[in-house]
Amino acid sequence: MQSTPRQFHCRDDLWVRVEALAERRGLTPDQVLEAALVRLFTRPPVAAQSAVERGAQAATSPSNGAAVHAAAATAGPLFVCLQGEWHMVDKDRFVIGRGAKHADLAIRDANISRQHCEIVRTNGQYVIRDLGSTNGIEVGGIRVESLVIEEGGVCHLCEHELMFSFQPPQ
């Protein structure tokens, strides 16, 4: 397929994120933008379904395996990996934010809000929810307000990747 150079205007903060994502994935910024555009124009509309509903469907779908479903259903401790370090979420509300004074898990980054997001345990599952932060939560490059956490799930808070597991780290 033919490719033609284009020019466009982009917010500086978004371009920084495109470059960082490209570096993390070993791609060029052009490849990241092209993949994002292809995904945008080839996926069916999802406006009628919230991120929580999509996450709940994925968490209960048979293709995810019985072990994952059983682990999520028990709502035992959740483990969150940030920058190679595992943290246990063993309470009903766990706040992630910029400083230890306001959060259970502190991320030292000016782009992270004081109380950026929370992980809440309700009805046998964990949900990560944005607390009105400036930069939000992203899953697969798409900003979400909340999401049911699944085994092996990944989301980003700015440039920080969070990985989730219901299994204790080895």
Side-chain angles (χ1 to χ4, degrees):
M1 191 169 290
Q2 184 177 352
S3 176
T4 306
R6 309 274 186 221
Q7 289 185 336
F8 67 98
H9 291 276
C10 176
R11 291 186 354 215
D12 291 342
D13 63 313
L14 292 177
W15 188 252
V16 167
R17 295 172 79 178
V18 166
E19 288 177 322
L21 179 62
E23 185 177 321
R24 275 197 316 269
R25 300 211 174 148
L27 301 170
T28 66
D30 286 345
Q31 290 170 317
V32 169
L33 288 174
E34 185 172 335
L37 289 170
V38 166
R39 187 172 180 182
L40 176 68
F41 291 112
T42 59
R43 73 171 16 179
V46 292
Q49 189 181 37
S50 73
V52 171
E53 290 168 330
R54 289 191 304 275
Q57 284 179 345
T60 58
S61 73
S63 64
N64 283 345
V68 170
H69 183 69
T74 62
L78 171 69
F79 299 91
V80 180
C81 184
L82 170 66
Q83 299 171 341
E85 188 174 326
W86 287 95
H87 306 271
M88 185 168 65
V89 177
D90 59 354
K91 55 192 203 173
D92 292 335
R93 183 173 189 263
F94 185 88
V95 176
I96 301 172
R98 186 172 55 229
K101 183 177 180 181
H102 301 283
D104 299 298
L105 176 57
I107 301 175
R108 299 186 80 156
D109 181 336
N111 294 312
I112 299 292
S113 298
R114 279 189 200 136
Q115 290 193 332
H116 196 95
C117 63
E118 65 182 355
I119 298 172
V120 292
R121 180 172 49 193
T122 58
N123 299 324
Q125 61 188 2
Y126 287 93
V127 176
I128 186 165
R129 186 176 319 155
D130 186 25
L131 293 174
S133 66
T134 302
N135 294 310
I137 302 168
E138 286 190 4
V139 177
I142 298 170
R143 188 166 177 164
V144 297
E145 290 300 314
S146 62
L147 183 77
V148 174
I149 295 173
E150 300 176 25
E151 175 65 35
V154 174
C155 71
H156 288 87
L157 309 181
C158 301
E159 301 306 318
H160 305 279
E161 182 176 89
L162 300 177
M163 185 171 62
F164 304 102
S165 179
F166 296 100
Q167 306 300 317
Q170 300 292 324

